Amino acid sequence: MHGQLFPSSSPITRRSVLLGGAAVAGGMALAPGLTGCATAGGGEATYPLKFWHLLSGGDGIVMAGLVDQANKDNPEFFASQTVLAWGTPYYTKLAMASVGGRAPDVAIMHASRLPGYAPGGLLDPWDTELLAEFGVREQDFPPRVWEKGLIDGKLYSVALDAHPFILMYNTDVAEKAGALGPDGQLVEITSPEQFVEVASAMQAVTGKHGLSYGYLGDGAQMWRLFYTFYKQLGAEMVLENGKEVQMDEEAAVTALSFIQQLLDDTIATRSGDYATAVAEFVNGESGMFFTGVWELPTAKNSGIPFDAQPIPTLFGTPAAYADSHAFVLPHQSAPDENKRREVYRFVSELFKGSIEWAGAGHIPGYLPVVESDEYSELIPQAHYASAADVLNYDPPAWFTGSGSDFQTYFAENVQGVFLGGDDPAEGIRGFVRRLNALLAKPNPVAKG
């Protein structure tokens, strides 16, 4: 999910791909003559569209193919891509482009970052009637996914996908541990005690660990698991500027204490990093793996027998941490109406072709794809697709979301808890104090 920074004024060439690692399929480079409205076959106007995103690696390859196909099938537009480095560089450049009048026609951002951009005037809202004209309607998305794009009743983002935190498991190890049901999938696990029992049984099979989970030095990994369990406890977290954090300390302590129980160097490594956890699982040295859907290609390429599902509901309320790659309209003071119409056409084409996006592990946001026979044949994707119905994004605030410092602040206060030495209550209180300091400040990227 991390990429190389490419200058926005430069086309993506074979050389830049080889140097930067963002693989590109045909049709992504800027075509000569498309700096203005060119002429396509039949005399139709072709509108050049500037499309920014932060997708590299395998995701970048798939997106390149989708854009290439959309360009091929639609002579009305030609979309050229600019790939920027994941995280702060991307979001800073996107904000500066919107403020400075150099915004692209369409961009992808994480849905969790929306509260820091839309209220400040950095994004333009989508016209839902025009989206519907191109076959993209509210009923075509899971409610939580669609609603995340709404701010003050206006739609500012439309999600290409949901990418939740899930549970992968080695089916051979699970079978030997007696943890497979008659359908060949993991038995239903409904309590923390039962999860520990299953993990311990798998550890007895592998002789190393029952569960892989890497987090050391990785605030995002810590937050994903914590927030999943926190929300399963039915707890809320409210971050409102000018007010103190509203957080359920008891639920937070319960979630952290359970994570400490898992990280005992038997069920799971107490001080493992993410790369070590991935290697451990794909080498068959553990039975289960807490990870994101983006690791699906890695698991498949390893050749191990595995399946996946939403993280079991251990604390009563089905919930999973997730984010979405979502399409947004960076603010333009005087957009060309005809050109913007082609943006809607372009985005609708990517939604309709997102069965290819599902191959990378993401759950397509567009339900006609998820509900298709073709998607039902994708395993394990079809086995964890229901996570889209119970997903939870970061609590809305200008400083939260993927690639922000929010998860770093979490790590600064709770990594010692994960390692087993620090008190969960003190860790959470330190995190709350840090958030209270942020809530006392205005949004620094708000326009104007």
Side-chain angles (χ1 to χ4, degrees), residues 58-348:
D59 285 352
I61 293 172
V62 176
M63 179 55 70
L66 289 174
V67 173
D68 188 45
Q69 191 63 46
N71 284 333
K72 180 179 179 181
D73 294 344
N74 296 273
E76 299 90 347
F77 63 76
F78 184 92
S80 58
Q81 300 180 81
T82 296
V83 182
L84 299 167
W86 192 95
T88 299
Y90 179 78
Y91 287 108
T92 300
K93 193 170 184 66
L94 191 62
M96 291 176 64
S98 295
V99 171
R102 302 181 303 277
D105 299 296
V106 62
I108 280 181
M109 68 185 302
H110 289 94
S112 62
R113 296 298 295 261
L114 193 63
Y117 283 72
L122 298 177
L123 303 175
D124 292 335
W126 291 91
D127 181 336
T128 54
E129 292 185 2
L130 187 53
L131 278 173
E133 184 179 330
F134 286 104
V136 178
R137 306 160 301 169
E138 179 177 356
Q139 59 263 41
D140 294 325
F141 295 80
R144 294 193 185 197
V145 173
W146 179 268
E147 291 165 6
K148 183 58 182 175
L150 297 171
I151 291 182
D152 296 330
K154 295 181 179 180
L155 185 71
Y156 283 94
S157 73
V158 193
L160 174 63
D161 63 37
H163 42 274
F165 211 50
I166 60 170
L167 178 71
M168 292 184 183
Y169 58 94
N170 185 309
T171 52
D172 276 0
V173 172
E175 183 176 23
K176 292 174 183 176
L180 285 188
D183 59 357
Q185 297 180 49
L186 193 67
V187 295
E188 184 180 12
I189 302 173
T190 60
S191 70
E193 295 80 13
Q194 186 185 3
F195 187 86
V196 169
E197 289 175 5
V198 171
S200 298
M202 290 189 180
Q203 189 277 332
V205 172
T206 66
K208 187 169 183 180
H209 294 114
L211 171 70
S212 292
Y213 168 60
Y215 70 88
L216 197 65
D218 190 337
Q221 277 292 99
M222 293 183 228
W223 175 255
R224 289 162 183 156
L225 187 59
F226 164 79
Y227 201 54
T228 294
F229 292 150
Y230 181 77
K231 296 299 291 185
Q232 286 191 1
L233 285 154
E236 297 295 334
M237 185 175 181
V238 179
L239 306 177
E240 187 175 348
N241 257 43
K243 298 183 180 181
E244 292 192 343
V245 176
Q246 297 179 42
M247 189 172 190
D248 187 332
E249 183 176 303
E250 182 180 355
V253 169
T254 298
L256 287 176
S257 297
F258 179 60
I259 292 170
Q260 283 184 323
Q261 183 181 357
L262 297 178
L263 299 172
D264 65 352
D265 280 334
T266 300
I267 294 174
T269 302
R270 180 165 307 188
S271 58
D273 61 22
Y274 187 71
T276 299
V278 173
E280 184 178 75
F281 181 70
V282 300
N283 288 324
E285 297 173 347
S286 67
M288 296 184 287
F289 183 25
F290 283 142
T291 187
V293 298
W294 50 86
E295 288 298 346
L296 180 64
T298 304
K300 284 194 169 184
N301 291 338
S302 74
I304 63 169
F306 80 102
D307 205 336
Q309 64 169 58
I311 290 179
T313 303
L314 306 183
F315 295 101
T317 302
Y321 166 84
D323 210 333
S324 294
H325 295 113
F327 294 108
V328 295
L329 298 171
H331 175 66
Q332 295 183 353
S333 56
D336 181 302
E337 291 185 8
N338 292 325
K339 189 176 184 181
R340 181 151 280 189
R341 179 181 178 84
E342 296 312 314
V343 170
Y344 283 66
R345 188 193 310 275
F346 168 61
V347 167
S348 73

Side-chain angles (χ1 to χ4, degrees), residues 9-10 103:
S9 59
S10 302

